[in-house]
């Protein structure tokens, strides 16, 4: 990541600032404490990762503002990117991610803040924690990498070296191995189950052969029984055929007997009919005479009926003519009444029109008043047409004046609200001053503690140095004691020589030498005991100092926070002073606006224009009420105009009605005369008189006609007897012919009955020769059904055994496949299990770290040698032995950092602030250089924030020379300091100055 452009707005102490990184390779960001040097670097970390030193995102917004944003343009992997992050107080942040193209910046923002942030991290291949641990030596957190636990240090290296990819591979390999193991387990269970099934089905072949033999035997028996059943069924069919013939013969005999009896009955009926017909023919003369009398009466009745028909037609015509005459008379009367009603209506209309014509004088007077009212209305409407635009202009100007007043009142209300807010903030100023005083007092007390803390640390280092000397003396005395023990052991050998001169010793000299060695041995033991006591006392003192040191560390834990809080309080007080000046301006503005509203001192041009419009309206002397009264008068006399029109219409109608009345009078008289002529001289009246004369001429007697019909009814019996005579004459020959035919058929039926009896006797004899096999057939069918059921059972058993045999063969094939799959899954499980271990923490990652750490250690020691004049040395240890006995002790993966100087290896906490910063700086530079050389995250930016305060002049020179040495490996190196003489060591300066309007940035070379 190479920075190109940084723009800040309302971020911490900056109101609006921009920094162009073009031409900045190795630069010093300098300025006074609190000017905002670190805020530039915090802006980069916040815009890229959304992280900063602020407790909440609202704290990054400049006091008195509601929104802050940072725009950052940088280069990564030969491409230009742009990130803009903004935050509004009390709301969530927004994030935009863009890439530069030929047409400009194009948005590649993801769906949501989290997705966009992840996209930025993936593009940079660097997260915030890794950035802090490598490229950014943050103010107060230069030991970020050193104070981490060993496992966390290792994780930082894993992240920087992009070894987390192996974690994903290990996880995938583990999943595949677990899946292969689970599948192997299932396949093993399947193989065992198949083997058990195949072992239990070995007797299946013998059962199959026995079942096939039994099925063959049952099928042979079934065929024999079926043949015997077929023979018996044929015999039974022959018997049934003779029985059917016997039944058919019996049925035919019954039919012949019924036909014979029916022929006998028909013969008897024909004989009776012949007797009846002969009796009718014997009365032929009497019947003919009675029939002639009947015909004479029938002729008389027909003549009377014809006369009655003419009489009835004439009567109906008479009735119809009477109805027509009455209808014509009714129509004439209705027309007469209608004409009379029209005449009466005409008289009434003439009377009404006469009354209307009498109001002519009143209507003429109303017309004159209407003309006068219309003239006055025309004059007033002319004045209205001139005054209406002036009225509209007056209303528009009044609306504009009211709107100007409303805007002035709204602005006044806003200013008053702002004034109340500023006054409330000013009320908080004593609290801020008191809080600042308290924080300052706490910082002063902590400054004293820091001095004491430094003395405790120096004393602890002194006691540690003294303890190291005691340990060295203890080792020396221990060595001398061991030598003394060796010499004493040599004296115990017989004829021992002198340990010093190697000459033989007599008993006296041996005793002297032994006493001397014993005295020396006791003295050495006493001295070693004294040193051990001093070591114990020193360790107790160091333990007390360490405990006191930790307590002081806990008490000083809030020192940086309190300093930051003091800076914030000071900034808030400064902002309160600015707000006090703003409050005075707001108060003056509120008073001026209130005066203008109270005195109407606003919208002067509108007021003058309103006065001009009012003067013009006064000259017109126009009154809306007079116009309304004039319009009311016109409406009030408008009836005269309407009545005048109605009067003209009444004159015309009166003249028309006077012309129509004589015609209506003549029509009434004509209707009366036509009614009189209709009753006497009309065609209908004459035809009615003719019909009445014809009815009198017919002379029809109703009683005589009724008596004639009675005589005809009494002679009706001769007509039926004459018809019977005619039928008897016709039917007698036919009956005699049918009687002869029936006699012949009776003789034929007798012969057929004799033949039938002979057939019955023959069928009965044949039936006796065929025995009944029904019971035997039933028994054979039952036996056949029983054997068929048994055969079906055997066939089912045979099918089941054959299916089991086929299933067994399939299981054998499946067993082979399952064994192959099991071997494949077991091999896959072993392979991916080994891959899981290879990709895991203790595999490739550990090997990679083991490979990288020597290079990192060498680079760090190279930088550290230049920074400390070859006085400091670091060592990275990746494994250590666990606590416990030798049998239970094992190696543990770790990442310990051992530091050594001229006095030996010591803990990191025992080094001074300057030495600790050199160690941190050397390791951090080594990490940055290592990552710049590898293909992972290309760290081309190095930031050192306020790390020079702990160094003396010689240490600062060494730091600057180290920075210049690694400058070719980085695109941009930024060093932050407030020390005046140190910035002169850099050619490019980024000056940060705090002003009343916010911090400002300028670049100088």
């Amino acid at each position: 990541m190479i920075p190109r452009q940084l723009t800040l707005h309302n971020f911490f102490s900056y109101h609006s600032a921009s920094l162009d990184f073009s031409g900045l390779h190795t630069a010093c960001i300098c300025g006074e404490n609190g000017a905002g040097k670190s805020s530039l670097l915090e802006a980069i970390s916040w815009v890229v990762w959304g992280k900063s030193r602020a407790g909440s995102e609202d704290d990054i917004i400049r006091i008195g503002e509601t929104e802050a944003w940072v725009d950052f343009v940088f280069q990564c992997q030969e491409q230009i990117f742009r990130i803009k992050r903004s935050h509004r107080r009390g709301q969530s942040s927004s994030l935009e991610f863009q890439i530069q193209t030929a047409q400009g910046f194009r948005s590649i923002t993801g769906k949501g803040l989290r997705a966009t942030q992840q996209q930025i991290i993936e593009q940079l291949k660097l997260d915030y924690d890794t950035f802090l641990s490598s490229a950014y030596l943050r103010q107060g957190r230069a030991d970020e990498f050193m104070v981490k636990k060993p496992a966390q240090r290792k994780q930082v290296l894993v992240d920087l070296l992009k070894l987390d990819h192996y974690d994903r591979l290990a996880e995938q390999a583990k999943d595949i191995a677990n899946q292969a193991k689970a599948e192997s387990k299932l396949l093993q269970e399947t193989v065992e189950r198949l083997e058990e099934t195949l072992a239990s089905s070995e007797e299946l072949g013998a059962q199959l052969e026995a079942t096939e033999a039994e099925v063959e035997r049952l099928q042979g028996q079934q065929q024999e029984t079926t043949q015997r059943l077929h023979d018996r069924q044929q015999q039974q069919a022959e018997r049934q055929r003779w029985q059917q013939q016997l039944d058919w013969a019996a049925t035919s005999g019954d039919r012949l007997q019924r036909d014979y009896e029916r022929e006998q009955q028909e013969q008897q009926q024909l004989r009776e009919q012949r007797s009846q017909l002969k009796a009718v023919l014997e009365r032929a003369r009497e019947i003919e005479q009675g029939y002639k009398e009947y015909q004479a009466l029938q002729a008389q009745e027909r003549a009377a009926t014809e006369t009655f028909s003419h009489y009835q037609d004439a009567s109906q015509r008479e009735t119809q003519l009477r109805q027509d005459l009455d209808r014509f008379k009714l129509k004439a009367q209705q027309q007469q009444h209608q004409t009379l009603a029209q005449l009466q209506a005409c008289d009434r209309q003439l009377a009404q029109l006469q009354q209307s014509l009498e109001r002519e004088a009143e209507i003429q007077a109303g017309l004159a008043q209407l003309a006068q009212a219309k003239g006055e209305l025309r004059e007033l409407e002319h004045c209205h047409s001139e005054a209406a635009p002036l009225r509209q202009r007056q209303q528009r100007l009044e609306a504009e004046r009211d709107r100007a007043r409303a805007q002035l009142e709204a602005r006044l209300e806003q200013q008053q609200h702002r004034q109340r807010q500023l006054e409330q903030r000013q009320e908080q100023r004593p609290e801020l001053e008191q809080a600042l005083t308290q924080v300052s007092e706490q910082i002063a007390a902590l400054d004293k503690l820091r001095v004491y803390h430094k003395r405790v640390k120096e004393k602890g280092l002194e006691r540690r140095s003294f303890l190291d000397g005691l340990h060295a003396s203890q080792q020396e005395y221990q060595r001398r004691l061991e030598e003394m023990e060796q010499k004493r052991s040599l004296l115990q050998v017989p004829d021992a020589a002198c340990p010093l001169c190697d000459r033989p010793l007599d008993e006296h000299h041996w005793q002297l030498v032994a006493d001397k060695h014993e005295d020396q041995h006791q003295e050495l033991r006493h001295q070693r005991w004294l040193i051990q006591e001093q070591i114990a006392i020193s360790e107790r003192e160091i333990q007390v100092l360490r405990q006191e040191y930790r307590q002081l560390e806990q008490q000083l834990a809030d020192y940086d926070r309190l300093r930051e809080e003091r800076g914030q309080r000071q900034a808030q007080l400064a902002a309160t002073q600015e707000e006090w000046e703003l409050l005075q301006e707001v108060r003056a503005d509120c008073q001026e606006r209130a005066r203008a509203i109270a005195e109407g001192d606003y919208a002067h041009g509108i007021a003058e224009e309103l006065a001009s419009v009012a003067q013009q309206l006064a000259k017109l002397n126009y009154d809306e009420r007079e116009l309304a009264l004039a319009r009311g008068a016109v409406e009030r006399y408008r009836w005269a105009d309407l009545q005048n029109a109605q009067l003209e219409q009444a004159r015309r109608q009166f003249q028309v009605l006077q012309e129509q009345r004589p015609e209506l009078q003549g029509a009434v008289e004509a209707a009366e005369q036509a009614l009189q002529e209709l009753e006497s001289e009309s065609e209908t009246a004459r035809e009615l008189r003719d019909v009445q004369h014809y009815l009198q001429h017919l002379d029809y007697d109703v009683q005589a006609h009724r008596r004639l019909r009675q005589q005809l009814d009494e002679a009706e019996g001769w007509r039926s007897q004459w018809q019977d005579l005619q039928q008897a004459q016709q039917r007698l020959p036919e009956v005699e012919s049918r009687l002869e035919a029936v006699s012949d058929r009776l003789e034929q039926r007798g012969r057929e009955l004799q033949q039938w009896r002979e057939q019955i006797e023959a069928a009965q004899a044949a039936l006796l020769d065929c025995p009944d096999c029904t019971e035997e057939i039933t028994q054979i069918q039952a036996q056949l059904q029983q054997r068929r059921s048994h055969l079906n059972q055997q066939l089912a058993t045979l099918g089941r055994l054959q299916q089991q045999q086929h299933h067994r063969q399939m299981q054998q094939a499946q067993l082979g496949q399952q064994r192959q799959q099991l071997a494949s899954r077991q091999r896959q499980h072993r392979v991916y299990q080994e891959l899981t271990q290879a990709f895991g923490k203790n595999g490739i990652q550990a090997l990679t770290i083991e490979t990288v750490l020597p290079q990192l250690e060498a680079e760090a020691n190279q930088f550290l040698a230049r920074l400390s004049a070859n006085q400091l040395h670091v060592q990275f240890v990746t494994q250590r032995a666990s606590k416990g006995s030798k049998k239970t002790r094992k190696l543990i993966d770790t990442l310990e950092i051992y530091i050594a100087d001229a006095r030996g290896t010591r803990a990191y906490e025992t080094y001074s602030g300057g030495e600790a910063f050199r160690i941190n700086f050397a390791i951090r530079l080594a990490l940055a250089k290592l990552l710049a050389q590898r293909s992972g995250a290309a760290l081309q930016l190095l930031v050192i924030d306020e790390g020079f305060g702990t160094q003396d002049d010689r240490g600062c020179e060494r730091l600057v020379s180290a920075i210049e040495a690694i400058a070719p490996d980085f695109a941009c190196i930024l060093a932050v300091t407030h020390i005046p003489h140190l910035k002169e060591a850099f050619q490019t300066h980024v000056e940060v100055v705090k002003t009343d309007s916010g911090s400002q940035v300028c670049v100088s070379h």
Side-chain angles (χ1 to χ4, degrees):
M1 180 177 67
I2 305 174
R4 290 293 187 87
Q5 182 77 29
L6 178 66
T7 305
L8 301 89
H9 180 73
N10 293 331
F11 186 83
F12 281 129
S13 60
Y14 289 90
H15 175 65
S16 181
S18 179
L19 175 59
D20 187 0
F21 289 89
S22 300
L24 295 184
H25 181 211
T26 303
C28 174
I29 302 177
C30 54
E32 297 180 355
N33 283 333
K37 303 182 297 299
S38 299
S39 297
L40 292 173
L41 308 177
E42 293 291 338
I44 295 176
S45 64
W46 181 74
V47 70
V48 176
W49 292 283
K51 303 290 184 66
S52 67
R53 67 171 183 267
S56 65
E57 285 197 312
D58 286 348
D59 295 338
I60 68 170
I61 303 175
R62 189 168 182 264
I63 298 175
E65 303 295 338
T66 59
E67 183 182 13
W69 56 264
V70 177
D71 192 326
F72 183 47
V73 180
F74 63 94
Q75 178 181 346
C76 180
Q77 298 179 0
E78 304 301 329
Q79 287 183 326
I80 305 298
F81 295 92
R82 179 184 180 186
I83 303 176
K84 183 177 181 180
R85 189 185 297 267
S86 61
H87 178 72
R88 183 175 291 274
R89 195 181 299 276
Q91 299 181 7
S92 59
S93 301
S94 63
L95 180 61
E96 296 181 14
F97 189 32
Q98 301 174 358
I99 185 172
Q100 189 179 40
T101 62
Q103 292 76 23
F105 282 100
R106 176 176 59 86
S107 175
I108 54 174
T109 305
K111 295 182 179 180
L113 181 64
R114 184 174 300 176
T116 306
Q117 185 63 62
Q118 184 62 31
Q119 190 174 355
I120 293 173
I121 294 175
E122 292 176 356
Q123 184 65 42
L124 292 175
K125 298 181 177 61
L126 193 69
D127 59 8
Y128 179 67
D129 294 333
T130 307
F131 177 72
L132 288 183
S133 299
S134 59
Y136 183 17
L137 276 71
R138 193 172 176 182
Q139 182 177 1
R141 298 178 65 177
D143 55 353
E144 185 76 27
F145 183 75
M146 293 296 297
V147 298
K148 286 184 179 291
K149 295 180 180 180
Q152 294 176 340
R153 294 193 196 115
K154 205 166 186 178
Q155 186 60 41
V156 170
L157 288 178
V158 168
D159 295 338
L160 289 174
L161 299 174
K162 302 303 294 179
L163 299 180
D164 54 347
H165 174 65
Y166 292 104
D167 289 333
R168 293 192 293 272
L169 292 177
E171 192 66 27
Q172 294 175 3
K174 183 179 179 181
D175 293 340
I176 296 174
N178 292 336
Q179 183 179 0
K181 183 178 180 181
E183 292 178 357
S184 299
K185 185 177 180 181
L186 293 176
L187 289 171
Q188 183 66 35
E189 294 176 355
T190 304
V191 169
E192 293 175 356
R193 185 170 61 253
L194 288 174
E195 290 175 348
E196 293 176 359
T197 303
L198 291 174
S200 63
S201 60
E202 293 178 353
E203 300 177 355
L204 186 62
Q207 295 179 1
L208 183 60
E209 293 177 358
T211 304
E212 289 177 348
E214 181 66 18
V215 168
E216 186 177 357
R217 185 183 65 81
L218 290 174
Q219 287 178 347
Q221 293 178 355
Q222 190 76 358
Q223 290 178 358
E224 294 176 0
T225 306
T226 303
Q227 184 63 34
R228 190 155 55 90
L229 176 63
H230 180 66
D231 296 340
R232 295 297 180 269
Q233 286 177 346
Q234 286 183 348
Q235 293 177 6
Q236 186 67 19
E238 184 68 20
R239 177 180 175 80
Q240 289 178 356
R241 187 169 60 253
W242 284 110
Q243 183 66 40
Q244 289 175 359
Q245 290 181 2
L246 182 61
D247 294 338
W248 177 80
T251 303
S252 299
D254 293 339
R255 180 174 52 78
L256 290 173
Q257 186 65 33
R258 287 193 299 274
D259 291 343
Y260 184 77
E261 292 174 356
R262 187 175 62 255
E263 295 292 343
Q264 285 180 342
Q265 291 177 0
E266 186 178 359
Q267 183 183 29
Q268 183 65 27
Q269 291 175 358
L270 288 174
R271 287 176 180 173
E272 291 177 358
Q273 289 180 7
R274 185 178 63 180
S275 299
Q276 292 175 359
L277 291 174
K278 287 181 178 180
V280 172
L281 290 174
E282 289 176 356
R283 295 179 63 245
R285 187 179 296 276
E286 181 183 0
I287 291 172
E288 290 177 353
Q289 184 63 33
Y291 184 67
K292 289 179 180 179
E293 293 178 356
Y294 170 75
Q295 287 179 338
L297 291 172
Q298 193 176 20
Q300 293 177 4
E301 196 276 333
R302 282 197 296 270
T305 299
E306 185 178 359
T307 303
F308 172 71
S309 177
H310 292 310
Y311 179 78
Q312 189 176 15
D313 293 338
S315 298
Q316 291 177 356
R317 181 60 180 168
E318 181 187 11
T319 301
Q320 183 179 2
L321 290 173
R322 286 184 181 276
Q323 291 176 355
D324 292 342
L325 183 59
D326 292 339
R327 186 170 61 255
F328 291 152
K329 289 171 64 177
L330 178 61
K331 184 176 180 181
Q333 290 175 356
Q334 290 177 352
Q335 185 175 4
Q336 181 185 9
H337 290 320
Q338 183 178 3
T339 307
L340 183 60
Q342 292 179 356
L343 180 60
Q344 292 175 355
C346 181
D347 293 339
R348 287 195 299 273
Q349 288 181 3
L350 287 172
Q352 292 175 359
L353 292 173
Q354 184 63 35
Q355 293 177 359
S356 299
L357 293 173
E358 291 175 356
R359 295 182 65 245
E360 182 177 3
E362 182 183 355
I363 292 171
Q364 293 298 329
L367 287 173
Q369 293 177 349
L370 177 61
Q372 182 180 358
K374 285 183 177 180
E376 295 176 357
L377 179 60
R378 282 193 296 272
E379 295 178 358
L380 290 173
E381 285 180 345
H382 178 69
C383 292
H384 173 71
S385 63
E386 295 180 355
L390 294 175
R391 287 283 188 185
Q392 293 176 357
R393 185 179 178 188
Q394 184 182 29
Q395 292 174 359
R396 186 175 66 255
L397 291 172
E398 289 176 351
E400 292 178 359
R401 183 185 61 184
D402 295 341
R403 188 161 53 252
R405 179 183 177 89
Q407 291 177 355
L408 191 61
E409 291 176 348
R411 182 60 180 170
L412 176 61
E413 185 177 355
Q414 291 179 356
Q415 292 293 85
Q416 289 176 348
H417 178 69
R418 189 177 182 185
Q419 178 182 349
R420 288 192 296 269
Q421 290 181 342
L422 293 173
E423 289 175 350
Q424 290 176 0
R425 293 177 183 175
Q426 290 300 319
E427 292 174 358
Q428 297 175 358
R429 183 169 183 175
E431 297 178 0
L432 291 175
E433 293 176 349
Q434 184 178 359
L436 179 61
T437 303
Q438 293 177 355
V439 170
S440 300
E441 293 175 355
Q442 293 177 1
I443 291 175
L446 290 178
D447 286 335
K448 295 178 181 179
L449 280 178
R450 290 190 70 190
V451 175
Y452 181 66
H453 173 266
K454 185 175 181 181
R455 291 176 181 176
V456 170
K457 185 176 181 180
E458 292 175 352
K459 186 176 182 181
L461 295 175
E462 180 184 354
R463 299 309 300 170
R464 168 59 65 181
S465 176
F466 177 70
L467 182 61
D468 291 341
L470 289 176
H471 281 297
S473 299
Q474 184 183 17
Q475 293 176 359
E476 177 65 21
Y477 278 108
Q478 182 66 30
R479 183 185 62 78
R480 292 172 64 185
L481 278 172
E482 292 175 355
E483 293 177 354
M484 187 60 66
E485 288 291 341
Q486 185 177 6
K487 291 178 181 180
R488 291 178 63 191
S489 63
L490 292 175
L491 289 175
Q492 300 301 324
V493 178
D495 299 329
C498 177
L500 298 176
C501 60
D502 200 21
R503 289 184 301 175
L505 295 175
D506 55 12
E507 183 179 358
H508 176 70
H509 287 90
W510 181 89
Q511 187 65 37
L512 290 176
V513 172
D515 292 341
K516 183 177 179 182
H517 280 79
E518 182 66 23
D519 294 339
Q520 291 178 355
H521 182 265
Q522 293 295 332
E523 181 65 23
L524 290 173
R525 291 184 62 186
H526 178 68
Q527 292 296 330
R528 188 183 66 177
W529 179 83
L530 290 176
I531 290 173
Q532 289 177 349
E533 287 295 325
Q534 292 178 355
I535 288 174
I537 294 172
S538 298
E539 288 180 347
R540 285 195 296 272
E541 290 179 355
I542 290 174
Q543 186 67 26
V544 171
L545 288 174
R546 283 181 177 175
Q547 184 176 2
E548 188 175 6
Y549 183 81
R550 293 192 188 96
Q551 292 177 355
L552 290 173
E553 285 285 343
Q554 293 177 357
Q555 294 176 3
L556 293 172
D558 294 335
Y559 182 75
D560 293 336
R561 181 186 61 79
L562 290 173
R563 289 186 61 188
E564 185 176 353
E565 183 179 356
R566 182 177 64 181
Q568 292 177 355
R569 299 297 183 187
Q570 291 173 350
Q572 290 175 356
L573 281 175
T576 306
Q577 182 61 34
E578 295 176 359
E579 291 177 351
W580 170 256
E581 298 175 357
L582 180 61
L583 176 62
Q584 301 302 322
E585 296 177 0
V586 170
R587 284 177 177 172
D589 185 61
C590 288
Q591 293 175 359
E592 178 62 24
R593 293 180 185 276
R595 182 197 62 75
I597 292 172
E599 298 177 0
D601 187 11
Y602 57 90
H604 300 89
I606 296 174
E608 294 176 358
E609 193 171 355
L610 274 173
S612 174
V613 171
Q615 185 177 2
Q616 292 178 13
L617 287 173
K619 290 180 179 180
L620 288 175
N621 194 19
Y622 168 73
D623 192 354
E624 289 285 346
R625 291 177 295 178
E626 293 181 359
L627 178 61
L629 291 174
R631 289 176 177 172
V634 170
E635 292 297 329
R636 190 166 55 253
Y637 292 112
R638 194 174 295 279
W639 65 269
D641 197 3
L642 298 175
Q643 291 293 332
N644 185 37
Q646 293 176 0
L647 183 62
E648 293 294 331
Q649 186 177 3
R651 287 196 186 98
R652 291 192 295 270
Q653 289 181 356
F654 188 78
Q655 184 177 359
V656 171
L657 290 175
Q658 283 182 341
E659 294 175 355
Q660 290 179 353
R661 191 176 187 287
E663 297 178 359
L664 293 174
Q665 185 68 33
V668 170
E669 294 176 355
E672 292 178 355
Q673 183 178 359
L675 184 59
Q676 293 176 1
E677 291 177 354
L678 183 61
E679 292 178 352
S680 59
E681 301 299 332
S682 66
E683 182 67 26
T684 304
R686 288 195 298 271
E687 187 177 356
L688 179 59
R689 288 194 294 272
D690 293 341
V691 171
Q692 290 174 350
H693 180 68
Y694 175 72
L695 286 174
Q696 292 176 0
H697 178 71
L698 281 177
D699 191 19
Y700 172 71
D701 188 358
V702 178
Q703 295 298 328
H705 190 192
R706 190 178 293 113
R707 287 193 298 272
L708 182 59
R709 285 183 177 178
Q710 185 176 2
Q711 292 174 2
L712 182 60
D713 292 338
E714 292 175 356
E716 185 69 27
W718 293 110
R719 186 174 65 85
S720 60
Q721 292 179 10
W722 186 81
Q723 292 175 352
D724 293 340
L725 178 61
Q726 295 293 325
Q727 292 178 359
Q729 293 173 352
Q730 295 175 359
R731 292 183 58 193
L732 182 59
E734 180 184 355
V735 170
E736 289 178 351
S737 176
R738 289 178 60 191
L739 183 58
E740 184 177 357
V742 169
S743 298
D744 295 338
R745 287 198 301 271
L746 279 174
E747 291 178 2
Q748 180 67 26
R749 291 290 185 269
R751 289 192 297 271
E752 290 177 356
L753 282 173
Q754 184 62 33
Q755 293 176 359
W756 169 75
R757 291 188 184 97
E758 293 174 357
Q759 291 177 358
I760 286 293
E761 292 174 358
Q764 290 175 351
L767 191 60
L768 291 174
D769 294 338
C770 295
D772 189 3
C773 300
T774 304
E775 294 181 0
E776 185 178 0
I777 289 173
T778 304
Q779 293 176 359
I780 293 173
Q781 287 178 344
Q783 185 180 5
L784 187 63
Q785 181 66 27
Q786 184 178 2
R787 290 179 178 175
R788 184 180 294 113
S789 177
H790 189 199
L791 177 61
N792 290 336
Q793 292 177 359
Q794 293 300 320
L795 288 173
T797 304
L798 179 61
R800 179 173 54 80
L801 292 174
Q802 290 176 348
Q803 185 177 4
Q804 290 178 358
Q805 181 71 12
H806 179 68
H807 184 62
R808 187 172 183 274
Q809 295 174 356
M810 292 179 62
Q811 284 181 338
Q812 288 177 348
Q814 185 180 4
L815 178 60
Q817 295 177 357
Q818 294 293 332
R819 285 174 177 170
Q820 293 178 359
Q821 292 181 4
L822 176 59
S824 175
R825 292 297 181 273
Q826 289 176 347
R827 183 170 61 257
Q828 184 182 16
H829 173 253
R830 290 193 300 271
V831 170
Y832 280 97
Q833 195 172 19
E834 293 176 359
L835 287 176
T836 302
Q837 296 176 357
F839 291 141
K841 299 290 186 182
N842 298 324
I844 296 176
Q845 299 185 41
L847 292 176
T848 304
I849 293 177
E850 291 290 344
T851 304
V852 168
L853 282 178
Q855 182 180 357
L856 179 63
E857 182 178 332
E859 292 288 345
N861 286 322
Q862 182 180 358
F863 286 119
L864 194 58
R866 298 175 63 182
L867 292 173
S868 63
N870 296 318
Q871 295 297 315
L872 295 175
H873 181 271
V874 296
Q875 180 183 3
F876 294 98
V877 179
T878 58
Q879 290 184 341
R880 64 178 177 83
S882 63
K883 297 180 179 179
S885 62
K886 293 183 179 179
K887 294 183 179 180
T888 60
R889 188 177 301 173
K890 59 182 180 180
L891 294 178
I892 301 175
D893 290 333
T894 182
L895 184 55
E896 302 285 352
I897 302 177
Y898 295 152
I899 307 169
D901 59 1
R903 292 180 293 176
T905 303
R906 292 186 290 153
Y908 170 77
E909 293 80 9
T910 61
Y911 287 89
S912 65
E915 292 173 332
F917 179 79
R918 294 175 195 171
I919 296 168
N920 297 331
F921 186 63
I923 294 176
R924 191 68 61 86
L925 289 179
L927 278 173
K929 186 174 182 180
L930 176 64
L931 292 174
Q933 293 174 354
R934 292 182 62 87
S935 60
L939 293 180
Q940 296 175 307
L941 173 65
L942 181 63
V943 179
I944 308 168
D945 188 3
E946 294 289 359
F948 305 96
T950 59
Q951 305 299 307
D952 53 13
D953 294 341
R954 183 60 178 164
C956 290
E957 291 177 0
R958 290 172 180 170
L959 285 176
V960 172
S961 62
I963 292 173
E964 293 176 350
I966 63 171
D969 296 332
F970 294 89
C972 182
I973 298 178
L974 301 176
V976 181
T977 184
H978 65 283
I979 303 174
H981 70 275
L982 185 60
K983 70 178 182 179
E984 302 299 331
F986 295 90
Q987 295 181 357
T988 304
H989 301 156
V990 179
E991 299 284 348
V992 180
V993 181
K994 190 171 185 180
T995 64
D996 295 338
S997 60
S999 299
Q1000 300 294 329
V1001 180
C1002 64
V1003 180
S1004 61
H1005 297 280

